[in-house]
């Protein structure tokens, strides 16, 4: 998939909310691509916009989303329905609201198969049993006729993943798939996704606010702030030598097992109002490197090192800090 200048703006009584404002990235075959940033930066809206799951209106989506030679934003709705769930699937962050509470889980899995494949009810049910076993739901024959409320949060998320994988998609959009799950279940879900990725050969776009999850799972990562991508690089490169002060701030705000005496350093201030974003660089009101040029112009996302993009006019200062030995609190453990 190649995303070019994606913009999703919402018309509200207060003005136009620029939730996604010029986002571009690529996802290679078999790759796990991370999209990271604090709450409200536009990660989930970006993910939903790729499949036009954002209601239009009040949203207006523009740009290009190229997948298998077709621009998904230009497809008629009827053609887009053949892509959703079949070639590209999505795992939503809240499994309880993603599932219909009054339909049995087996029927919800089978519905996807009957929508996109020429199968009978019996064949769809048999495949639903296989998928429940594939995602690690114990005793699927006994659980297939249960309702969502009879499952734990982790098991509901496994059902959502089974629905997403029903048609063996080429690309999986995982929108914070471990939100509200305890740490043990989070680890199980992430390992399940990576195992299924290897088995099925699919690509994954993983949306998260947790840099530890990025370090554990992603090959490359893009950092979002206020509706824009401010940095993009291979995961190990970005964690070891960030070239944008927002990324550096995210890393500095995490505990560091190597420097136990160091106090946490929160990013000052708050994210901007996307109806009236600040002039120039959107991060400049909170940035320790701010200069007059940052207020006047919005820096483009440009290459600052091999396969490393940054939208900062003074990224070289961060490179000097990395060269001086300032370490990341997170190690890459894929």
């Amino acid at each position: 998939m190649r995303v070019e200048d994606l913009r999703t703006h919402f018309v509200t009584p207060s003005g136009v909310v620029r939730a996604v404002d010029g986002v571009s990235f690529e996802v290679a075959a078999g790759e796990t691509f991370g999209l990271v940033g604090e709450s409200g930066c536009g990660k989930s809206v970006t993910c939903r916009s790729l499949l036009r799951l954002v209601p239009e209106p009040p949203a207006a989506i523009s740009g290009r989303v190229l997948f298998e030679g077709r621009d998904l934003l230009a497809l008629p709705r009827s053609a887009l329905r053949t892509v959703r769930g079949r070639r590209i699937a999505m795992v939503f962050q809240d499994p309880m609201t993603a599932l219909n509470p009054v339909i049995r889980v087996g029927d919800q899995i089978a519905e996807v198969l009957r929508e996109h494949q020429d199968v009978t009810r019996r064949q769809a049910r048999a495949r639903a049993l296989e998928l429940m076993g594939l995602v690690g739901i114990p005793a699927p024959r006994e659980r297939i006729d249960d309702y969502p409320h009879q499952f734990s949060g982790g098991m509901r998320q496994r059902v959502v993943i089974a629905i997403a994988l029903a048609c063996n998609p080429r690309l999986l959009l995982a929108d914070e798939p471990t939100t509200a799950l305890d740490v043990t279940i989070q680890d199980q879900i992430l390992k399940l996704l990576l195992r299924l990725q290897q088995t099925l050969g699919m690509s994954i776009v993983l949306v998260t606010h947790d840099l530890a999850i990025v370090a554990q799972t992603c090959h490359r990562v893009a950092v979002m702030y206020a509706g824009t991508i401010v940095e993009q690089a291979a995961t190990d490169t970005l964690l070891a030598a960030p070239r944008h002060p927002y990324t550096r701030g995210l890393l500095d705000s995490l505990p560091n097992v190597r420097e136990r005496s160091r106090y946490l350093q929160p990013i000052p201030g708050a994210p901007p109002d996307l109806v009236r974003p600040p002039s120039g660089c959107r991060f400049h009101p909170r940035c320790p490197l701010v200069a007059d040029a940052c207020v006047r112009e919005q820096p483009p996302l440009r290459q600052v090192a091999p396969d490393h993009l940054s939208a900062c006019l003074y990224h070289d200062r961060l490179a000097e800090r990395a060269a001086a030995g300032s370490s990341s609190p997170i190690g890459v453990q894929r």
Side-chain angles (χ1 to χ4, degrees):
M1 171 179 281
R2 185 165 77 250
V3 180
E4 299 177 352
D5 196 31
L6 179 66
R7 298 175 188 270
T8 304
H9 296 174
F10 295 87
V11 178
T12 72
S14 301
V16 178
V17 177
R18 298 167 177 83
V20 179
D21 208 19
V23 165
S24 300
F25 60 87
E26 294 186 21
V27 184
E31 179 184 42
T32 302
F33 182 83
L35 201 57
V36 67
E38 61 194 314
S39 297
C41 70
K43 306 184 303 296
S44 294
V45 176
T46 296
C47 215
R48 290 170 178 264
S49 298
L50 300 178
L51 290 176
R52 287 160 60 190
L53 293 175
V54 181
E56 303 173 80
I61 306 175
S62 62
R64 296 209 303 169
V65 178
L66 302 174
F67 179 74
E68 296 183 337
R70 296 189 291 177
D71 182 1
L72 301 185
L73 300 187
L75 289 180
R77 290 283 178 178
S78 57
L80 188 60
R81 285 179 63 87
T82 66
V83 176
R84 292 175 180 160
R86 184 176 183 180
R87 305 301 294 164
I88 304 176
M90 188 164 180
V91 176
F92 298 91
Q93 59 181 287
D94 186 350
M96 197 60 204
T97 57
L99 296 171
N100 192 318
V102 297
I103 299 180
R104 302 177 193 274
V105 296
D107 292 337
Q108 296 192 54
I109 299 172
E111 180 183 18
V112 181
L113 294 161
R114 299 195 67 209
E115 173 71 22
H116 293 292
Q117 298 180 1
D118 184 17
V119 295
T120 64
R121 286 183 179 273
R122 184 184 298 274
Q123 290 171 329
R125 182 179 175 86
R127 175 60 177 158
L129 281 170
E130 292 179 14
L131 288 163
M132 291 177 71
L134 182 67
V135 299
I137 297 175
R141 291 188 180 277
E142 286 73 35
R143 304 303 305 273
I144 192 171
D145 291 319
D146 286 349
Y147 291 93
H149 73 270
Q150 295 174 277
F151 285 74
S152 67
M155 287 296 127
R156 286 196 295 265
Q157 192 63 290
R158 291 172 187 265
V159 172
V160 172
I161 293 172
I163 292 172
L165 299 179
C167 296
N168 296 329
R170 298 299 301 156
L171 176 63
L172 181 68
L173 307 177
D175 184 8
E176 302 208 36
T178 59
T179 295
L181 302 179
D182 63 59
V183 176
T184 302
I185 302 302
Q186 282 187 23
D187 185 62
Q188 292 176 4
I189 294 297
L190 290 171
K191 288 180 177 177
L192 170 65
L193 287 175
L194 295 179
R195 186 172 68 251
L196 293 173
Q197 179 187 38
Q198 294 175 354
T199 302
L200 303 175
M202 64 184 177
S203 303
I204 297 177
V205 174
L206 180 63
V207 174
T208 182
H209 62 271
D210 192 332
L211 286 169
I213 289 177
V214 168
Q216 180 183 350
T217 59
C218 298
H219 300 98
R220 291 189 303 122
V221 58
V223 179
M224 286 195 71
Y225 182 78
T228 65
I229 289 179
V230 296
E231 187 167 7
Q232 183 176 315
T235 302
D236 53 354
T237 300
L238 184 135
L239 295 179
R243 301 291 287 270
H244 194 280
Y246 177 62
T247 309
R248 181 74 260 177
L250 291 178
L251 292 170
D252 286 344
S253 66
L254 297 173
N256 191 333
V257 295
R258 303 185 189 93
E259 302 175 19
R260 297 187 180 183
S261 61
R262 180 179 69 85
Y263 287 99
L264 298 183
Q265 301 175 30
I267 300 174
D273 180 357
L274 294 182
V275 175
R276 288 170 289 275
S279 61
C281 174
R282 294 185 178 182
F283 187 60
H284 86 254
R286 309 171 70 187
C287 182
L289 304 180
V290 63
D292 291 343
C294 305
V295 181
R296 291 194 305 267
E297 59 181 291
Q298 183 173 356
L301 188 66
R302 58 182 177 175
Q303 183 166 311
V304 297
D307 300 319
H308 195 157
L309 307 177
S310 174
C312 179
L313 297 174
Y314 301 102
H315 61 86
D316 52 336
R317 299 184 188 178
L318 293 170
E320 293 170 1
R321 177 176 174 178
S326 179
S327 62
S328 165
I330 301 177
V332 179
Q333 301 174 355
R334 288 190 308 276

